Amino acid sequence: MILSNDRIRSLLLDESMPLDRRLVISPILNWDTQLKPGGSSIDVRLGQRFRVPRRTKIDRLDHLSDFYMENVEQYKDVYHVLVGDYFVLHPRQFVLGNTLEWIHLPETLAAYVIGRSSWGRDGLVIATATGVHPRYSGVLTLEITNLGEIPVRLYPGLTIAQLFIHTVVGHAGGKAIPSFSGSTNPENADAAGDEKLIIKRIAKDRGFEHLD
Amino acid sequence: MSQQREELKRLKLESATERCQAIEESLKLFQGRIESSPATRKVIELILRAIGGIKNFIETESANPDLVLLTDAELEKRIHRVTRVIPAIHLLVGIVEHSDITSVPAELAAPLRTEIDNLYSSTAELIITSSPTLNYSIQRLARADLQESLNLKRHHLKGFPKRLFVASLPSIEYDQALQHCIFAHELSHPLWEDLKIQKSLPRLTLDNKRLLQLTERLGKRNSGSKKKRDAFKALEEASRAPQRVSAATLEWCKELTSDLFALALFGPAFLFSVIYFTCSFNRLDSASDSHPPPRLRLNLLFRFLDLLYTAKSVFSPKTRTFLNKWRLIGAQQIHVKEEVHELVLDTLRKSEISDRLPSLAFELLPKLRSRYTQKDYKRDIKVLCPLIEAQIPPAEYLFKGEHVRANFVGILNAGWESYLKGLKGYQAKLPQGRKTTPYEVKRNYNSFLLKALELNDAIRSWRASLDTLQ
């Protein structure tokens, strides 16, 4: 069930709820425009950090490689763009950004991040990995690509995406912490995770020699 | 004009032109950078203005037929009068070189600028820069001095801050938010002059007999030595001893006073950062002519803490235990290595300055434009620490249905309090991949606090802008 804006507002202002079970989106700089009456999503703003790929000698990103995270660190630069300044996203350029807001979801809520249509009409794709799990606490990493024909200026502080918040029916998996929780900046993550060893084992059994 | 003078003129002007071009080239690398403080741009403008002045002079002088009338010495003096500013420009370029937001934490720069503004009114500005040394320092550049050293006219500095603080932090540890509370000491330094503290100190009681004995002992050291160099060194040390004692006493008083005001400005967070950074890393009894031994700093800080934080329940049991251990460490006898420093310690003791400084700082508190009180601390610990434990940045808190912006210093104090308590709650909410080592947890925690400062400043600047528009 998607929460209405009235419900989101009342949850955000509910002091009686213990902090662990509280919905927090901080800061909300303009309640009226970010939580429009009658709507069912809250607008979130573009944060101040961007991770930008750069050309290096690294020839690939391989999630099965033991050096995946090191490689990612080496091929990305981090830019800090202050509110008031801007970042230029060129056609077909891909960067990681983040929301200005810190999102803290209790175990009863999950969320989806969707780009705002006004940016979409400029050719901007805001987020592709859009699910936010219960008990997540951190900024949201946004995958931003300019699919348009002309460069677009990105101003931190502008509303860039919207968060649809859902209730979670049933028990949300004990006390497990979502793997990206605690994010303070846009970041990559090792997608293979625990499956890395299994797939490597299968590859070895089948005689594939493409792994590091 | 003789050929030699012509050569002298040519090379001096050519050399100055090249220096100016080199500076201009280096400044081009700064284009497109994002500065942590607008003051950096103002300094760059000033540098370009000074360079412009030198280039104009060179152009005029190159074509000046009257130079033939000058002697070599007069010619040199005339050119040097203008080109002497080049080394000063180099220093300024060095200051701004590492002040962009890839070198310093922008999250800290904005609130520190606000603190400077609160403390010294809008006549002051701050540039934060990083350096490869494991040290925090601050330089103060007065507008009048810059005008003089850059050969500028008064109107050229219109809009330039009256006082410019250049604070430097260690580049390798630039993201350690908790540690940066040390800055409070640096920000407090100008208060020595502003509040005319030297005049309020008791008269210095120098133990002349001991000083004489020291001078004699230093003079005799190495006497009869076959190495003449050593004998001269001993004589020099002996003759400098009285002056070293009085100068070091003054310097130590300045440092100790800055510590006390830093505690008043930043609260216990400052003391925690002194313990963690200065005392745990340096030797507790090591002193220099410019800095007192960390143990003495601790001793006075605890005396002042007892004046400021009087409520019994103000610190959590864990923090109180931590503080008590360090209080005892600070109370132990100080064994400095050099006799000169022993005499400085003795002078401070006999003149009752070590006893007087905390109470003097306490009396002067009402004169501070900004300070962090016990009441602030109690409130912040109560409302912000639970947020940290729940992994919610303590940038703002909910109070009676309203979001209240937290105080920048309050965030740092709550940050320290939670850190000293062990960060159990915070750590439990981190996924396994973010807590493989204790250092990784601390790093993530510092990053989390920087995020809280960033959000806190976003709220401040947004509201300020909204107020202006309305």
Side-chain angles (χ1 to χ4, degrees), chain A residues 10-41:
Chain A
S10 69
L11 285 176
L12 288 170
L13 295 173
D14 185 359
E15 284 172 70
S16 65
M17 196 67 91
L19 281 166
D20 270 351
R21 281 193 261 158
R22 203 178 282 180
L23 169 68
V24 177
I25 298 171
S26 169
I28 297 175
L29 298 175
N30 191 330
W31 286 76
D32 294 337
T33 56
Q34 285 181 254
L35 268 169
K36 290 184 192 82
S40 59
S41 69

PDB file of all heavy atoms in Angstrom, chain A residues 10-41:
ATOM      1  N   SER A  10       2.344  12.802   8.699  1.00  0.00           N
ATOM      2  CA  SER A  10       2.063  12.489  10.108  1.00  0.00           C
ATOM      3  C   SER A  10       3.117  11.540  10.683  1.00  0.00           C
ATOM      4  O   SER A  10       3.491  11.650  11.846  1.00  0.00           O
ATOM      5  CB  SER A  10       0.641  11.944  10.280  1.00  0.00           C
ATOM      6  OG  SER A  10       0.557  10.676   9.698  1.00  0.00           O
ATOM      7  N   LEU A  11       3.635  10.629   9.861  1.00  0.00           N
ATOM      8  CA  LEU A  11       4.691   9.729  10.352  1.00  0.00           C
ATOM      9  C   LEU A  11       5.983  10.501  10.629  1.00  0.00           C
ATOM     10  O   LEU A  11       6.688  10.248  11.600  1.00  0.00           O
ATOM     11  CB  LEU A  11       4.978   8.621   9.333  1.00  0.00           C
ATOM     12  CG  LEU A  11       3.954   7.492   9.234  1.00  0.00           C
ATOM     13  CD1 LEU A  11       4.342   6.519   8.116  1.00  0.00           C
ATOM     14  CD2 LEU A  11       3.850   6.734  10.561  1.00  0.00           C
ATOM     15  N   LEU A  12       6.281  11.465   9.743  1.00  0.00           N
ATOM     16  CA  LEU A  12       7.518  12.245   9.920  1.00  0.00           C
ATOM     17  C   LEU A  12       7.473  13.103  11.185  1.00  0.00           C
ATOM     18  O   LEU A  12       8.513  13.447  11.738  1.00  0.00           O
ATOM     19  CB  LEU A  12       7.753  13.153   8.698  1.00  0.00           C
ATOM     20  CG  LEU A  12       8.179  12.455   7.406  1.00  0.00           C
ATOM     21  CD1 LEU A  12       8.126  13.430   6.230  1.00  0.00           C
ATOM     22  CD2 LEU A  12       9.589  11.887   7.529  1.00  0.00           C
ATOM     23  N   LEU A  13       6.264  13.443  11.603  1.00  0.00           N
ATOM     24  CA  LEU A  13       6.138  14.337  12.765  1.00  0.00           C
ATOM     25  C   LEU A  13       5.708  13.594  14.033  1.00  0.00           C
ATOM     26  O   LEU A  13       5.404  14.225  15.044  1.00  0.00           O
ATOM     27  CB  LEU A  13       5.133  15.458  12.453  1.00  0.00           C
ATOM     28  CG  LEU A  13       5.558  16.419  11.335  1.00  0.00           C
ATOM     29  CD1 LEU A  13       4.427  17.377  10.979  1.00  0.00           C
ATOM     30  CD2 LEU A  13       6.801  17.200  11.730  1.00  0.00           C
ATOM     31  N   ASP A  14       5.709  12.269  13.962  1.00  0.00           N
ATOM     32  CA  ASP A  14       5.237  11.481  15.107  1.00  0.00           C
ATOM     33  C   ASP A  14       6.365  11.281  16.132  1.00  0.00           C
ATOM     34  O   ASP A  14       7.228  10.420  15.975  1.00  0.00           O
ATOM     35  CB  ASP A  14       4.715  10.124  14.607  1.00  0.00           C
ATOM     36  CG  ASP A  14       4.093   9.319  15.731  1.00  0.00           C
ATOM     37  OD1 ASP A  14       4.092   9.805  16.882  1.00  0.00           O
ATOM     38  OD2 ASP A  14       3.609   8.204  15.459  1.00  0.00           O
ATOM     39  N   GLU A  15       6.342  12.106  17.178  1.00  0.00           N
ATOM     40  CA  GLU A  15       7.397  12.030  18.197  1.00  0.00           C
ATOM     41  C   GLU A  15       7.201  10.853  19.152  1.00  0.00           C
ATOM     42  O   GLU A  15       8.124  10.486  19.877  1.00  0.00           O
ATOM     43  CB  GLU A  15       7.422  13.310  19.030  1.00  0.00           C
ATOM     44  CG  GLU A  15       8.045  14.475  18.313  1.00  0.00           C
ATOM     45  CD  GLU A  15       7.884  15.762  19.084  1.00  0.00           C
ATOM     46  OE1 GLU A  15       8.523  15.904  20.135  1.00  0.00           O
ATOM     47  OE2 GLU A  15       7.097  16.623  18.632  1.00  0.00           O
ATOM     48  N   SER A  16       5.979  10.316  19.174  1.00  0.00           N
ATOM     49  CA  SER A  16       5.708   9.253  20.147  1.00  0.00           C
ATOM     50  C   SER A  16       6.387   7.936  19.747  1.00  0.00           C
ATOM     51  O   SER A  16       6.616   7.066  20.562  1.00  0.00           O
ATOM     52  CB  SER A  16       4.199   9.040  20.271  1.00  0.00           C
ATOM     53  OG  SER A  16       3.713   8.556  19.035  1.00  0.00           O
ATOM     54  N   MET A  17       6.721   7.817  18.490  1.00  0.00           N
ATOM     55  CA  MET A  17       7.320   6.579  17.978  1.00  0.00           C
ATOM     56  C   MET A  17       8.791   6.494  18.395  1.00  0.00           C
ATOM     57  O   MET A  17       9.515   7.484  18.274  1.00  0.00           O
ATOM     58  CB  MET A  17       7.206   6.607  16.448  1.00  0.00           C
ATOM     59  CG  MET A  17       7.414   5.308  15.761  1.00  0.00           C
ATOM     60  SD  MET A  17       6.124   4.130  16.125  1.00  0.00           S
ATOM     61  CE  MET A  17       4.973   4.462  14.816  1.00  0.00           C
ATOM     62  N   PRO A  18       9.249   5.328  18.900  1.00  0.00           N
ATOM     63  CA  PRO A  18      10.687   5.200  19.199  1.00  0.00           C
ATOM     64  C   PRO A  18      11.516   5.464  17.933  1.00  0.00           C
ATOM     65  O   PRO A  18      11.055   5.168  16.820  1.00  0.00           O
ATOM     66  CB  PRO A  18      10.841   3.745  19.641  1.00  0.00           C
ATOM     67  CG  PRO A  18       9.477   3.256  19.918  1.00  0.00           C
ATOM     68  CD  PRO A  18       8.519   4.092  19.134  1.00  0.00           C
ATOM     69  N   LEU A  19      12.730   5.983  18.104  1.00  0.00           N
ATOM     70  CA  LEU A  19      13.530   6.412  16.946  1.00  0.00           C
ATOM     71  C   LEU A  19      13.758   5.284  15.936  1.00  0.00           C
ATOM     72  O   LEU A  19      13.733   5.506  14.728  1.00  0.00           O
ATOM     73  CB  LEU A  19      14.876   6.956  17.418  1.00  0.00           C
ATOM     74  CG  LEU A  19      14.818   8.382  17.965  1.00  0.00           C
ATOM     75  CD1 LEU A  19      16.088   8.726  18.718  1.00  0.00           C
ATOM     76  CD2 LEU A  19      14.581   9.379  16.845  1.00  0.00           C
ATOM     77  N   ASP A  20      13.973   4.063  16.429  1.00  0.00           N
ATOM     78  CA  ASP A  20      14.217   2.936  15.532  1.00  0.00           C
ATOM     79  C   ASP A  20      13.040   2.679  14.604  1.00  0.00           C
ATOM     80  O   ASP A  20      13.214   2.206  13.486  1.00  0.00           O
ATOM     81  CB  ASP A  20      14.469   1.662  16.356  1.00  0.00           C
ATOM     82  CG  ASP A  20      15.933   1.507  16.654  1.00  0.00           C
ATOM     83  OD1 ASP A  20      16.715   2.288  16.075  1.00  0.00           O
ATOM     84  OD2 ASP A  20      16.292   0.630  17.462  1.00  0.00           O
ATOM     85  N   ARG A  21      11.855   2.965  15.090  1.00  0.00           N
ATOM     86  CA  ARG A  21      10.650   2.661  14.308  1.00  0.00           C
ATOM     87  C   ARG A  21      10.077   3.905  13.618  1.00  0.00           C
ATOM     88  O   ARG A  21       8.946   3.918  13.162  1.00  0.00           O
ATOM     89  CB  ARG A  21       9.599   2.038  15.224  1.00  0.00           C
ATOM     90  CG  ARG A  21       9.909   0.574  15.479  1.00  0.00           C
ATOM     91  CD  ARG A  21       8.749  -0.115  16.095  1.00  0.00           C
ATOM     92  NE  ARG A  21       8.895  -0.228  17.541  1.00  0.00           N
ATOM     93  CZ  ARG A  21       7.909  -0.391  18.382  1.00  0.00           C
ATOM     94  NH1 ARG A  21       6.671  -0.417  17.945  1.00  0.00           N
ATOM     95  NH2 ARG A  21       8.126  -0.518  19.673  1.00  0.00           N
ATOM     96  N   ARG A  22      10.899   4.961  13.607  1.00  0.00           N
ATOM     97  CA  ARG A  22      10.402   6.221  13.060  1.00  0.00           C
ATOM     98  C   ARG A  22      10.807   6.381  11.585  1.00  0.00           C
ATOM     99  O   ARG A  22      11.899   5.980  11.194  1.00  0.00           O
ATOM    100  CB  ARG A  22      10.992   7.378  13.874  1.00  0.00           C
ATOM    101  CG  ARG A  22      10.184   8.649  13.803  1.00  0.00           C
ATOM    102  CD  ARG A  22      10.791   9.726  14.653  1.00  0.00           C
ATOM    103  NE  ARG A  22      10.517   9.573  16.079  1.00  0.00           N
ATOM    104  CZ  ARG A  22      10.963  10.431  16.989  1.00  0.00           C
ATOM    105  NH1 ARG A  22      11.688  11.470  16.639  1.00  0.00           N
ATOM    106  NH2 ARG A  22      10.681  10.246  18.267  1.00  0.00           N
ATOM    107  N   LEU A  23       9.919   6.978  10.802  1.00  0.00           N
ATOM    108  CA  LEU A  23      10.281   7.363   9.435  1.00  0.00           C
ATOM    109  C   LEU A  23      10.971   8.722   9.520  1.00  0.00           C
ATOM    110  O   LEU A  23      10.414   9.672  10.086  1.00  0.00           O
ATOM    111  CB  LEU A  23       9.024   7.468   8.560  1.00  0.00           C
ATOM    112  CG  LEU A  23       9.232   8.111   7.182  1.00  0.00           C
ATOM    113  CD1 LEU A  23      10.084   7.227   6.273  1.00  0.00           C
ATOM    114  CD2 LEU A  23       7.892   8.410   6.505  1.00  0.00           C
ATOM    115  N   VAL A  24      12.196   8.798   8.973  1.00  0.00           N
ATOM    116  CA  VAL A  24      12.913  10.081   8.991  1.00  0.00           C
ATOM    117  C   VAL A  24      13.364  10.415   7.575  1.00  0.00           C
ATOM    118  O   VAL A  24      13.956   9.565   6.901  1.00  0.00           O
ATOM    119  CB  VAL A  24      14.152  10.021   9.928  1.00  0.00           C
ATOM    120  CG1 VAL A  24      14.925  11.335   9.882  1.00  0.00           C
ATOM    121  CG2 VAL A  24      13.750   9.701  11.358  1.00  0.00           C
ATOM    122  N   ILE A  25      13.049  11.602   7.139  1.00  0.00           N
ATOM    123  CA  ILE A  25      13.611  12.131   5.891  1.00  0.00           C
ATOM    124  C   ILE A  25      14.121  13.516   6.268  1.00  0.00           C
ATOM    125  O   ILE A  25      13.339  14.407   6.606  1.00  0.00           O
ATOM    126  CB  ILE A  25      12.541  12.213   4.775  1.00  0.00           C
ATOM    127  CG1 ILE A  25      12.024  10.803   4.472  1.00  0.00           C
ATOM    128  CG2 ILE A  25      13.119  12.850   3.519  1.00  0.00           C
ATOM    129  CD1 ILE A  25      10.831  10.765   3.544  1.00  0.00           C
ATOM    130  N   SER A  26      15.438  13.661   6.279  1.00  0.00           N
ATOM    131  CA  SER A  26      16.007  14.883   6.860  1.00  0.00           C
ATOM    132  C   SER A  26      17.124  15.436   5.982  1.00  0.00           C
ATOM    133  O   SER A  26      17.994  14.673   5.570  1.00  0.00           O
ATOM    134  CB  SER A  26      16.552  14.559   8.256  1.00  0.00           C
ATOM    135  OG  SER A  26      17.320  15.613   8.763  1.00  0.00           O
ATOM    136  N   PRO A  27      17.103  16.721   5.679  1.00  0.00           N
ATOM    137  CA  PRO A  27      16.096  17.702   6.068  1.00  0.00           C
ATOM    138  C   PRO A  27      15.023  17.846   4.983  1.00  0.00           C
ATOM    139  O   PRO A  27      15.287  17.573   3.822  1.00  0.00           O
ATOM    140  CB  PRO A  27      16.924  18.995   6.126  1.00  0.00           C
ATOM    141  CG  PRO A  27      17.976  18.828   5.078  1.00  0.00           C
ATOM    142  CD  PRO A  27      18.249  17.357   4.986  1.00  0.00           C
ATOM    143  N   ILE A  28      13.843  18.270   5.412  1.00  0.00           N
ATOM    144  CA  ILE A  28      12.831  18.655   4.422  1.00  0.00           C
ATOM    145  C   ILE A  28      12.842  20.183   4.409  1.00  0.00           C
ATOM    146  O   ILE A  28      12.428  20.825   5.376  1.00  0.00           O
ATOM    147  CB  ILE A  28      11.441  18.089   4.779  1.00  0.00           C
ATOM    148  CG1 ILE A  28      11.527  16.559   4.758  1.00  0.00           C
ATOM    149  CG2 ILE A  28      10.389  18.577   3.785  1.00  0.00           C
ATOM    150  CD1 ILE A  28      10.281  15.863   5.197  1.00  0.00           C
ATOM    151  N   LEU A  29      13.394  20.736   3.355  1.00  0.00           N
ATOM    152  CA  LEU A  29      13.622  22.188   3.336  1.00  0.00           C
ATOM    153  C   LEU A  29      12.341  22.960   3.037  1.00  0.00           C
ATOM    154  O   LEU A  29      12.211  24.120   3.417  1.00  0.00           O
ATOM    155  CB  LEU A  29      14.721  22.534   2.325  1.00  0.00           C
ATOM    156  CG  LEU A  29      16.093  21.923   2.645  1.00  0.00           C
ATOM    157  CD1 LEU A  29      17.094  22.223   1.532  1.00  0.00           C
ATOM    158  CD2 LEU A  29      16.639  22.435   3.972  1.00  0.00           C
ATOM    159  N   ASN A  30      11.420  22.322   2.334  1.00  0.00           N
ATOM    160  CA  ASN A  30      10.153  23.001   2.051  1.00  0.00           C
ATOM    161  C   ASN A  30       9.022  21.966   2.065  1.00  0.00           C
ATOM    162  O   ASN A  30       8.833  21.229   1.096  1.00  0.00           O
ATOM    163  CB  ASN A  30      10.236  23.702   0.688  1.00  0.00           C
ATOM    164  CG  ASN A  30       9.062  24.636   0.476  1.00  0.00           C
ATOM    165  OD1 ASN A  30       7.963  24.402   0.984  1.00  0.00           O
ATOM    166  ND2 ASN A  30       9.292  25.704  -0.271  1.00  0.00           N
ATOM    167  N   TRP A  31       8.310  21.928   3.170  1.00  0.00           N
ATOM    168  CA  TRP A  31       7.271  20.903   3.360  1.00  0.00           C
ATOM    169  C   TRP A  31       6.173  21.023   2.311  1.00  0.00           C
ATOM    170  O   TRP A  31       5.678  20.015   1.807  1.00  0.00           O
ATOM    171  CB  TRP A  31       6.665  21.012   4.767  1.00  0.00           C
ATOM    172  CG  TRP A  31       7.597  20.497   5.817  1.00  0.00           C
ATOM    173  CD1 TRP A  31       8.692  21.124   6.307  1.00  0.00           C
ATOM    174  CD2 TRP A  31       7.536  19.223   6.469  1.00  0.00           C
ATOM    175  NE1 TRP A  31       9.321  20.325   7.231  1.00  0.00           N
ATOM    176  CE2 TRP A  31       8.620  19.153   7.359  1.00  0.00           C
ATOM    177  CE3 TRP A  31       6.663  18.142   6.398  1.00  0.00           C
ATOM    178  CZ2 TRP A  31       8.866  18.043   8.172  1.00  0.00           C
ATOM    179  CZ3 TRP A  31       6.901  17.035   7.214  1.00  0.00           C
ATOM    180  CH2 TRP A  31       8.007  16.993   8.087  1.00  0.00           C
ATOM    181  N   ASP A  32       5.803  22.245   1.987  1.00  0.00           N
ATOM    182  CA  ASP A  32       4.662  22.427   1.085  1.00  0.00           C
ATOM    183  C   ASP A  32       4.960  21.952  -0.334  1.00  0.00           C
ATOM    184  O   ASP A  32       4.096  21.374  -0.996  1.00  0.00           O
ATOM    185  CB  ASP A  32       4.238  23.897   1.061  1.00  0.00           C
ATOM    186  CG  ASP A  32       3.688  24.307   2.412  1.00  0.00           C
ATOM    187  OD1 ASP A  32       3.250  23.403   3.155  1.00  0.00           O
ATOM    188  OD2 ASP A  32       3.734  25.507   2.737  1.00  0.00           O
ATOM    189  N   THR A  33       6.191  22.212  -0.813  1.00  0.00           N
ATOM    190  CA  THR A  33       6.481  21.811  -2.196  1.00  0.00           C
ATOM    191  C   THR A  33       6.961  20.364  -2.284  1.00  0.00           C
ATOM    192  O   THR A  33       6.761  19.706  -3.299  1.00  0.00           O
ATOM    193  CB  THR A  33       7.542  22.730  -2.840  1.00  0.00           C
ATOM    194  OG1 THR A  33       8.705  22.705  -2.023  1.00  0.00           O
ATOM    195  CG2 THR A  33       7.051  24.148  -2.981  1.00  0.00           C
ATOM    196  N   GLN A  34       7.603  19.871  -1.224  1.00  0.00           N
ATOM    197  CA  GLN A  34       8.100  18.494  -1.300  1.00  0.00           C
ATOM    198  C   GLN A  34       7.010  17.463  -0.997  1.00  0.00           C
ATOM    199  O   GLN A  34       7.084  16.331  -1.441  1.00  0.00           O
ATOM    200  CB  GLN A  34       9.289  18.306  -0.350  1.00  0.00           C
ATOM    201  CG  GLN A  34      10.575  18.947  -0.890  1.00  0.00           C
ATOM    202  CD  GLN A  34      11.760  18.757   0.031  1.00  0.00           C
ATOM    203  OE1 GLN A  34      12.177  19.692   0.693  1.00  0.00           O
ATOM    204  NE2 GLN A  34      12.307  17.566   0.065  1.00  0.00           N
ATOM    205  N   LEU A  35       6.038  17.883  -0.193  1.00  0.00           N
ATOM    206  CA  LEU A  35       4.918  16.995   0.137  1.00  0.00           C
ATOM    207  C   LEU A  35       3.621  17.662  -0.316  1.00  0.00           C
ATOM    208  O   LEU A  35       2.860  18.177   0.491  1.00  0.00           O
ATOM    209  CB  LEU A  35       4.865  16.778   1.644  1.00  0.00           C
ATOM    210  CG  LEU A  35       5.615  15.586   2.228  1.00  0.00           C
ATOM    211  CD1 LEU A  35       5.666  15.694   3.733  1.00  0.00           C
ATOM    212  CD2 LEU A  35       4.966  14.259   1.833  1.00  0.00           C
ATOM    213  N   LYS A  36       3.408  17.642  -1.619  1.00  0.00           N
ATOM    214  CA  LYS A  36       2.251  18.377  -2.153  1.00  0.00           C
ATOM    215  C   LYS A  36       0.942  17.739  -1.678  1.00  0.00           C
ATOM    216  O   LYS A  36       0.814  16.511  -1.704  1.00  0.00           O
ATOM    217  CB  LYS A  36       2.295  18.379  -3.676  1.00  0.00           C
ATOM    218  CG  LYS A  36       3.426  19.233  -4.222  1.00  0.00           C
ATOM    219  CD  LYS A  36       3.378  19.279  -5.747  1.00  0.00           C
ATOM    220  CE  LYS A  36       4.645  19.875  -6.283  1.00  0.00           C
ATOM    221  NZ  LYS A  36       5.749  18.901  -6.367  1.00  0.00           N
ATOM    222  N   PRO A  37      -0.031  18.578  -1.276  1.00  0.00           N
ATOM    223  CA  PRO A  37      -1.309  18.031  -0.807  1.00  0.00           C
ATOM    224  C   PRO A  37      -1.973  17.185  -1.902  1.00  0.00           C
ATOM    225  O   PRO A  37      -1.921  17.530  -3.075  1.00  0.00           O
ATOM    226  CB  PRO A  37      -2.147  19.291  -0.517  1.00  0.00           C
ATOM    227  CG  PRO A  37      -1.158  20.403  -0.417  1.00  0.00           C
ATOM    228  CD  PRO A  37       0.020  20.033  -1.237  1.00  0.00           C
ATOM    229  N   GLY A  38      -2.512  16.080  -1.492  1.00  0.00           N
ATOM    230  CA  GLY A  38      -3.218  15.227  -2.446  1.00  0.00           C
ATOM    231  C   GLY A  38      -2.321  14.222  -3.144  1.00  0.00           C
ATOM    232  O   GLY A  38      -2.801  13.344  -3.859  1.00  0.00           O
ATOM    233  N   GLY A  39      -1.043  14.320  -2.952  1.00  0.00           N
ATOM    234  CA  GLY A  39      -0.111  13.425  -3.637  1.00  0.00           C
ATOM    235  C   GLY A  39       0.188  12.175  -2.829  1.00  0.00           C
ATOM    236  O   GLY A  39      -0.353  11.968  -1.730  1.00  0.00           O
ATOM    237  N   SER A  40       1.076  11.340  -3.383  1.00  0.00           N
ATOM    238  CA  SER A  40       1.438  10.120  -2.657  1.00  0.00           C
ATOM    239  C   SER A  40       2.939   9.853  -2.777  1.00  0.00           C
ATOM    240  O   SER A  40       3.370   8.719  -2.876  1.00  0.00           O
ATOM    241  CB  SER A  40       0.641   8.935  -3.196  1.00  0.00           C
ATOM    242  OG  SER A  40       0.920   8.798  -4.568  1.00  0.00           O
ATOM    243  N   SER A  41       3.721  10.918  -2.819  1.00  0.00           N
ATOM    244  CA  SER A  41       5.183  10.748  -2.828  1.00  0.00           C
ATOM    245  C   SER A  41       5.809  12.018  -2.273  1.00  0.00           C
ATOM    246  O   SER A  41       5.187  13.076  -2.250  1.00  0.00           O
ATOM    247  CB  SER A  41       5.688  10.525  -4.252  1.00  0.00           C
ATOM    248  OG  SER A  41       5.541  11.715  -4.997  1.00  0.00           O
TER     249      SER A  41
END
